Each structure stands twice: as structure tokens, then as C-alpha cells.
């Protein structure tokens, strides 16, 4: 990363050193390099790995669904459709869930397919697809909040503990151990009963109150190993301030860990929120989470009758896909941030050689989450 | 070694103390003041009770007498918990310790079977995957592991309940044992005992299957990673050069060194999964610890809620403590303690 800046930081003009300026890059070239380093190379890395490709595609899909979806899909309202319509009513060919009509586009009549409740409706006549789509922005807000919260807190506490050492490290490590030992769900149940969070931002923070500890511990041990490397010692000898060293020398090295832990925190929040909504312990007034759909479907006999089974299955599929998207995406990002892999890919698009592929082991948790 | 022991013990004691304090703070912060709520309930049900009698009962229920100064309330609360007195459940109208004491064995039974199976299956699968690294089997199993690991266990639970419980009717959908069975463990009546155990296993089987199915993928992937790392070590090459048999290498060298790091994981997973048992027990209507905690939260039964929280946390603390202490015995490399990380 430092090669890009080297030539521009040379003193210009004065004396014999001026000759160095000959090799400096033009502005356009510099921009192209930055673009290559931060955009083209990562994309290439992602594109070369099947898992990362699938993950990135799914993540983009959910983002589109959350950002554009609510504008395209009608808002779910009670009684907007017949009750308990099955998915793809009437079959894929000649079904009654779609209708070939025409619409006018800039005054010209063009053929058009109108879709009615493709994934069916619930027992009060709200479209299932509509509910899934309209719950997405809130879910994305929630997991983004949680991810940011956990990342900021976990990284700063972990890096601080690992970097400073001594008594502060001991204090913080004890705190981390305690927070990690607390059993997640019972504590969440009580906190949720206490706070009754409704806003997705608050919910994201409450549900990830514990997540930062695991991250802080991983970061701490990483920082411990980095702290004693020669380049950090060199920075210290140069008299750089502690915050500068942490931000410039240490944080870039722990990015893969940060990504994986952040994604894990996001998945835990999805699982926890859906679980708590499913148990009916979080307050809701409309369908704000896929867990609400699960809860309504389950309590209205989604397990007992085939009529309501689709109502239960659609949010399940959404949850599994989002969680899988996050795991695969994290694996792709791990390869992007991993300096060894990155160097190789930045040089050439070929050669996904022999780097260890056991990142999945780090991503996989022991099933301890909800 | 002694310093390590002292450090871990202090930490465990400190954590336990922290949790008890936290639960005290939480019960005091509860919205709608549980004491006033209870007092209202008592007055409504027994209008002729004296004020003192009501105060005494409220204190007896939630273990906190709000009329005392704060430090005395706290001291009374902690000493109550130390004596095993967790208060009196409002919704179940029984001592909390009694309710949780009856629920605990079921949770421990179902989840220990599940976790044991999960680890056995995961570890053997992970070892095979690592041995055939890069093969089609490895790639497809890794994919499967990721998919299974992305599924929340309650989703799998609902699917199992739907398919095997309601649709096919192969498995019971609620309870610990069937109502016609007498819960008895008596060596002199082997038939009745066997019936009881069989019924208990049968009723827990869907729950166990859910935990195993959603959990073994993660274990297998972790084991695979560890084994691959071990397979690259120099001492394995040396072992091969020495002409040791493949079985001996696989068991003594690879398996042992790959499983060791997962030992603490086992005990921690136990705590985490029991902590997360609430939703599964609710889905399968399996009255264990988690089931009662959820029921307590729904009924705003503060004593039962706090009792469950304290009990589960203390269990997890003890589990982590045992893991820390015995890890040195299992793996001689860490006997000096300190921060292995």
C-alpha cells in the first residue's frame, strides 16, 4: 500500500534529492493506481472465488430488495387480497397469479405481465412477498447497526487491551471474559422485557450487547502478535503516537478478523431478533421482521395445515439465504484483505494458487448461537 | 500452575458475583416495579391481609424487601441465592428453586445427548474431510456444512416438527415422556425403568436431532481446519519416516492434536446451547429450563425469570471454570497457563 505514496512524499526541488522527482506519477496514473488497488483488484479476487461470487451476489440482491423493493412492491395491508392464497396459485403455466396485459410506456402500449401475490397471502389477506420485502429495510438497518456497534466497540477494546498490555489489559480482559460467559439468550430475554425496543437501531444494539466481547478477544490476540513485529517497533522508534500506530500499522492487519467477526455478529443478531419475535417477546404493531411472519404463521396453524405452510416457509428461506450470503461474503472479503492472496491477485488475474482455504473453519461457530 | 489455578478461581468467583449483582440490578430496574405489582395482586386476592403480612410476602416472593435500605436489600438477596433461595414464582405458585430443579435434569439430559452426538459426528466427519482435502466429498460437505450452519436451529426445529411430528406422526410433538409412563428409575424394576428411559429418549429425539443437524456442520468445519493444520506439521513427516503405521499416526498424532483445541469449545458450547435452549424448548413444548424462562418472561414472573437467569449463568461459569482447569490436564502444553492466545 505504501508504494503508491512513496514517490509523492519525496522532497521536491532542493539539491540532489530533486532527481527522484523524475519517477513521480502523473495525477491520472495515481488515480488509476488507487482505483486498481481499492476497486479492481478486490473485485477480481471476489470474482475468482465461487463462494465469494455467490455471497456477493446474494448480498447485493438483499440490498436491492431492501432499498428498491419497497418502492416496487405494494405495501402489505390487511385485506388487500383474498385470504390464504397459495403460492403461484394455479401453477407456473397458465396460473392465476400472473396476468398478461398491456401497459402504456411513454404513450406506447407494450405487453406487460401483472403479478398478483406470487408467494401467496396470509390469513388476513396480506401478500407474503409484500411482507418479506417490506420487512427487509428494517432488518438491514438492524444488522448494519449491530455490525457497526460490535465492530467499533470490539476493535477498540481489543486493540487497546492488546496494544497497551499491563494492568489495563488485565482489567479489559477480565471484563471481556465476563461478558463472554454470560449466557446470551436468557440475558436478552430479560433486557428485551426491560427495554421493549421497537426501533431497529435500538434493537440492533440491544441484541448485540454481548457480541463485541468475542471480537475484542480475537482482536486482542491478533494485536499481541503484531505488536512485537519489527515494523511496529520501528514506528515506535520513530516516535509516532500510539493512536497513529494503532490506526495505521495495526488495524489494517486485523481487517480479515474484523470482517469475519462483524459478519458473525450480524448473523447472531438476525437469529436472535427472529427468535425473539418468533416467541412473541418483542413488541410489534405491523410486520417489521421475518420473525414476526414466522410467529404469525406458527400461531395461526402454519404447521398444522398445508394452506398456511408457504407463509412459514418463505421467511425461513429469506433468513437462511441472508445468513448464508453473509458467511460467503465474509469469506470473499477475507481473501480480499489477506495480503498474500491480494498481492498475487493484484499482479495477475490468474493463479488462485495454494493459499490455505480453511477460512471456513474460522467463520463457522460451534452452533452456540440461538 | 498454582498461580493459574488461583487466577481462574478468582475470575470464576468474580464472574458469579458479577452475575448475581447484575440480576439484582435488573430486577430493581424492571418496569412497573415488580414489588408494587405483586402487592396489588396480593391485596386483590386477600383483602383482609395486614400491611406487614403483605410486605413480608412480597419480600418472600421476589427476595427483595423494598422497604429496607439498598445495601441491606442487596445483602439479603445475595445471601438468599447462596442459600439456594431464589424466591417464589408468581405464575407457577411454587418456590423457584423447586420448579427449576425439576426442569434442569430434562434440559441437561436432552442437550448433553445432543451435544455429544453433535461433536462425535462433527469430529469424525471433519477428520475424513481433512484427510480427503480438496476432493469432491470435501467440497460438497463443506458446502453442506455452511448451509446447515446458516440455518437457525429453530427453523430446522419447525421443519422437523412439521414433517416428522404433525405430517408423518412419527414423533411426539410435546412433553418429556408419554402420559401413561411412570417416571421411575429402579434397578429392581428393569422393565418399568427401560420403558421410562425409552419414552424419554423418544420424546427428546426431535430436539436432539435439531441440535445435531444444525450444529455438526460447524464442528466438522472447525475440526477440518485443525486437522489440515496438523497434517502440515513436521512431526507428522518425522512419524511417517519412522515407519509408524497409518492408524497410529491418524489416532495418536492427528486426531489428538486436532481435537484438543476443541475441548474448551465443547464445554463452552454446552453453556451456550443450554443458554439458547429457550426457543427450541418452546417449539417442542419441552418443559426444561429455557421453557420456564420464556414462560416467566411472558407472564412477567420476575422471580422465576431471575432464578433461571442466575442458574443458567452459574452453570455456564462452572462449565467454563472446569474447562479452564482441566484443559491443562488434557493438554500438557498449556499446563503453565497464562494466556495461550
Amino acid at each position: 500500500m505504501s508504494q503508491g505514496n512513496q514517490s509523492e512524499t519525496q522532497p521536491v526541488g532542493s539539491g540532489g534529492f530533486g532527481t527522484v522527482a523524475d519517477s513521480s506519477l502523473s495525477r491520472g496514473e495515481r488515480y488509476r493506481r488507487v482505483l486498481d488497488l481499492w476497486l479492481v483488484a478486490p473485485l477480481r479476487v471476489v470474482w475468482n472465488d465461487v463462494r465469494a461470487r455467490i455471497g456477493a451476489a446474494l448480498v447485493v440482491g438483499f440490498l436491492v430488495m431492501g432499498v428498491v423493493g419497497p418502492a416496487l412492491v405494494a405495501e402489505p395491508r390487511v385485506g388487500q387480497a383474498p385470504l390464504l392464497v397459495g403460492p403461484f396459485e394455479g401453477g407456473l403455466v397458465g396460473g392465476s397469479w400472473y396476468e398478461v396485459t398491456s401497459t402504456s410506456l411513454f404513450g406506447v402500449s407494450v405487453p406487460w405481465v401483472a403479478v398478483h401475490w406470487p408467494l401467496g397471502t396470509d390469513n388476513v389477506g396480506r401478500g407474503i412477498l409484500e411482507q418479506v420485502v417490506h420487512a427487509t429495510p428494517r432488518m438491514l438497518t438492524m444488522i448494519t447497526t449491530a455490525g457497526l456497534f460490535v465492530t467499533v466497540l470490539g476493535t477498540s477494546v481489543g486493540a487497546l487491551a492488546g496494544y497497551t498490555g499491563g494492568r489495563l489489559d488485565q482489567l479489559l480482559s477480565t471484563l471481556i471474559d465476563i461478558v463472554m460467559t454470560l449466557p446470551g439468550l436468557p440475558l436478552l430475554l430479560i433486557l428485551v422485557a426491560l427495554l421493549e425496543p421497537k426501533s431497529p437501531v435500538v434493537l440492533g444494539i440491544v441484541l448485540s450487547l454481548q457480541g463485541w466481547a468475542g471480537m475484542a478477544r480475537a482482536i486482542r490476540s491478533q494485536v499481541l502478535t503484531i505488536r512485537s513485529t519489527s515494523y511496529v517497533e520501528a514506528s515506535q522508534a520513530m516516535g509516532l503516537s500510539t493512536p497513529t500506530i494503532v490506526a495505521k500499522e495495526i488495524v489494517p492487519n486485523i481487517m480479515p478478523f474484523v470482517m469475519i467477526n462483524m459478519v458473525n455478529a450480524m448473523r447472531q443478531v438476525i437469529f436472535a431478533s427472529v427468535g425473539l419475535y418468533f416467541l412473541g417477546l418483542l413488541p410489534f404493531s405491523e410486520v417489521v421482521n421475518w420473525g414476526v411472519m414466522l410467529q404469525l404463521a406458527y400461531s395461526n396453524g402454519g404447521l398444522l395445515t398445508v394452506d398456511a405452510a408457504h407463509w412459514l416457509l418463505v421467511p425461513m428461506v429469506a433468513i437462511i439465504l441472508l445468513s448464508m450470503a453473509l458467511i460467503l461474503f465474509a469469506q470473499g472479503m477475507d481473501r480480499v484483505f489477506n495480503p498474500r492472496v491480494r498481492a498475487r491477485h493484484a499482479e495477475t488475474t490468474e493463479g488462485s494458487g495454494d493459499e490455505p482455504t480453511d477460512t471456513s473453519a474460522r467463520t463457522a461457530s460451534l452452533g452456540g448461537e440461538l | 500452575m498454582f498461580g493459574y489455578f488461583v487466577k481462574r478461581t478468582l475470575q470464576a468467583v468474580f464472574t458469579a458475583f458479577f452475575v448475581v449483582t447484575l440480576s439484582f440490578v435488573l430486577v430493581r430496574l424492571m418496569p412497573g416495579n415488580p414489588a408494587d405489582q405483586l402487592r396489588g395482586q396480593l391485596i386483590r386476592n386477600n383483602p383482609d391481609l395486614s400491611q406487614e403480612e403483605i410486605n413480608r410476602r412480597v419480600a418472600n416472593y421476589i427476595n427483595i424487601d423494598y422497604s429496607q435500605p439498598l445495601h441491606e436489600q442487596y445483602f439479603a438477596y445475595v445471601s438468599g441465592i447462596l442459600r439456594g433461595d431464589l424466591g417464589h414464582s408468581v405464575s407457577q405458585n411454587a418456590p423457584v428453586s423447586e420448579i427449576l430443579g425439576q426442569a434442569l435434569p430434562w434440559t441437561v439430559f436432552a442437550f448433553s445427548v445432543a451435544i455429544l452426538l453433535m461433536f462425535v459426528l462433527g469430529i469424525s466427519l471433519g477428520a475424513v474431510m481433512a484427510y480427503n482435502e480438496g476432493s469432491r466429498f470435501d467440497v460438497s460437505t463443506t458446502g453442506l456444512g455452511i448451509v446447515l450452519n446458516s440455518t437457525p436451529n429453530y427453523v430446522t426445529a419447525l421443519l422437523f416438527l412439521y414433517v416428522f411430528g404433525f405430517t408423518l406422526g412419527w414423533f411426539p410433538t410435546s412433553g418429556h415422556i408419554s402420559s401413561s409412563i411412570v417416571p421411575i428409575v429402579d434397578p429392581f424394576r428393569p422393565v418399568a425403568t427401560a420403558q421410562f428411559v425409552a419414552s424419554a429418549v423418544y420424546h427428546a429425539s426431535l430436539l436432539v436431532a435439531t441440535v445435531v443437524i444444525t450444529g455438526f456442520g460447524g464442528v466438522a468445519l472447525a475440526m477440518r481446519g485443525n486437522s489440515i493444520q496438523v497434517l502440515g506439521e513436521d512431526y507428522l513427516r518425522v512419524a511417517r519416516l519412522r515407519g509408524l503405521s497409518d492408524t497410529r499416526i491418524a489416532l495418536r498424532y492427528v486426531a489428538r492434536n486436532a481435537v484438543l483445541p476443541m475441548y474448551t469449545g465443547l464445554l463452552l458450547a454446552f453453556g451456550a446451547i443450554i443458554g439458547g435452549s429457550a426457543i427450541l424448548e418452546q417449539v417442542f413444548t419441552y418443559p426444561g429450563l429455557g421453557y420456564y424462562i420464556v414462560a416467566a418472561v411472558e407472564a412477567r414472573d420476575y422471580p422465576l425469570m431471575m432464578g433461571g437467569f442466575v442458574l443458567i449463568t452459574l452453570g455456564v461459569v462452572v462449565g467454563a471454570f472446569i474447562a479452564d482447569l482441566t484443559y491443562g490436564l488434557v493438554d500438557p502444553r498449556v499446563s503453565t497457563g497464562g494466556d495461550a492466545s
Side-chain angles (χ1 to χ4, degrees), chain A residues 13 30 65 97 118 123 179 189 196 227 245 293 324 348:
Chain A
R30 223 161 58 215
M65 183 163 139
W97 58 276
N123 70 333
V179 175
L189 288 174
E196 302 200 334
R227 189 176 58 163
I245 296 177
M293 299 179 67
M324 214 162 72
T348 160

Side-chain angles (χ1 to χ4, degrees), chain A residues 177 186 196 220 267 271 303 323, chain B residues 11 149-150 154 162 275 339:
Chain A
D177 282 348
E196 302 200 334
R220 175 181 167 272
R267 291 178 56 227
F271 287 11
L303 284 183
S323 160
Chain B
Q11 198 163 359
N149 217 32
S150 323
Y154 47 82
Y162 177 63
D339 285 332

Side-chain angles (χ1 to χ4, degrees), chain B residues 14-184:
Chain B
F14 187 68
T15 311
F17 168 77
F18 177 82
V19 168
V20 171
T21 309
L22 182 70
S23 77
F24 174 78
V25 172
L26 285 173
V27 101
R28 291 229 21 139
L29 286 178
M30 279 292 171
N33 191 344
D36 287 348
Q37 217 173 312
L38 253 176
R39 189 168 286 125
Q41 210 176 321
L42 284 174
I43 293 173
R44 245 176 289 127
N45 295 343
N46 331 281
D48 39 325
L49 278 183
S50 71
Q51 189 62 36
E52 269 169 35
E53 176 62 14
I54 286 180
N55 278 346
R56 200 187 60 75
R57 283 203 190 183
V58 168
N60 177 26
Y61 267 83
I62 56 172
N63 256 359
I64 297 177
D65 183 353
Y66 278 65
S67 59
Q68 289 174 328
L70 197 62
H71 64 276
E72 278 180 33
Q73 290 179 25
Y74 176 68
F75 184 72
Y77 184 76
V78 174
S79 63
I81 286 179
L82 287 180
R83 276 183 278 114
D85 176 12
L86 296 167
H88 194 95
S89 162
V90 184
S91 62
Q92 313 280 330
N93 196 19
V96 170
S97 47
E98 200 175 285
I99 299 171
L100 295 180
Q102 278 171 3
L104 183 67
W106 293 104
T107 299
V108 170
F109 158 70
F111 285 91
S112 14
V113 172
I115 291 170
L116 221 62
L117 281 178
M118 176 178 108
F119 268 79
V120 169
L121 197 64
I123 284 176
S124 13
L125 193 67
V128 178
M129 280 158 74
Y131 200 75
N132 302 309
E133 191 198 344
S135 68
R136 186 169 293 179
F137 170 78
D138 178 35
V139 172
S140 52
T141 329
T142 305
L144 183 72
I146 291 178
V147 173
L148 290 179
N149 217 32
S150 323
T151 315
N153 59 20
Y154 47 82
V155 166
T156 316
L158 283 176
L159 290 175
F160 277 11
L161 195 62
Y162 177 63
V163 176
F164 299 112
F166 290 111
T167 310
L168 297 172
W170 291 351
F171 289 97
T173 55
S174 65
H176 329 112
I177 51 168
S178 73
S179 50
S180 59
I181 300 282
V182 193
I184 184 168

Side-chain angles (χ1 to χ4, degrees), chain A residues 21-232:
Chain A
D22 285 350
S23 65
S24 82
L25 302 165
S26 73
R27 184 173 289 248
E29 206 169 341
R30 223 161 58 215
Y31 282 142
R32 232 188 49 227
R33 279 209 177 178
V34 169
L35 197 72
D36 191 65
L37 191 67
W38 289 106
L39 200 69
V40 180
L43 281 180
R44 234 182 251 154
V45 174
V46 168
W47 195 249
N48 277 331
D49 186 71
V50 181
R51 292 177 301 182
R53 214 183 304 170
I54 300 174
L58 281 173
V59 167
V60 170
F62 274 104
L63 282 177
V64 169
M65 183 163 139
V67 176
V68 189
L72 295 181
V73 177
E75 201 175 325
R77 271 179 298 105
V78 173
Q80 68 184 172
L83 314 186
L84 284 176
V85 175
F88 306 117
E89 186 84 342
L92 288 178
V93 180
S96 60
W97 58 276
Y98 64 91
E99 191 181 347
V100 182
T101 58
S102 60
T103 187
S104 96
L105 193 69
F106 305 118
V108 186
S109 175
V110 288
W112 190 257
V113 179
V115 178
H116 309 290
W117 335 119
L119 297 181
T121 61
D122 66 6
N123 70 333
V124 286
R126 286 179 293 194
I128 303 292
L129 175 73
E130 286 73 6
Q131 295 182 33
V132 170
V133 169
H134 278 265
T136 310
R138 294 181 64 107
M139 302 235 20
L140 293 182
T141 314
M142 183 184 73
I143 63 176
T144 313
T145 314
L148 284 178
F149 176 76
V150 166
T151 306
V152 170
L153 202 60
T155 314
S156 39
V157 172
L160 191 66
Y163 188 74
T164 54
R167 191 153 292 184
L168 183 63
D169 180 24
Q170 262 177 9
L171 187 78
L172 289 176
S173 298
T174 312
L175 185 72
I176 290 171
D177 282 348
I178 289 179
V179 175
M180 275 182 81
T181 323
L182 296 177
L185 191 64
L187 181 65
L188 285 187
L189 288 174
I190 290 167
L191 280 178
V192 159
L194 187 71
L195 300 170
E196 302 200 334
K198 281 207 177 85
S199 132
V201 173
V202 179
L203 187 62
I205 291 178
V206 170
L207 296 188
S208 59
L209 271 182
Q210 221 189 341
W212 64 270
M215 181 144 175
R217 195 184 223 186
I219 297 292
R220 175 181 167 272
S221 47
Q222 279 291 300
V223 170
L224 274 180
T225 59
I226 296 172
R227 189 176 58 163
S228 48
T229 55
S230 50
Y231 60 87
V232 172

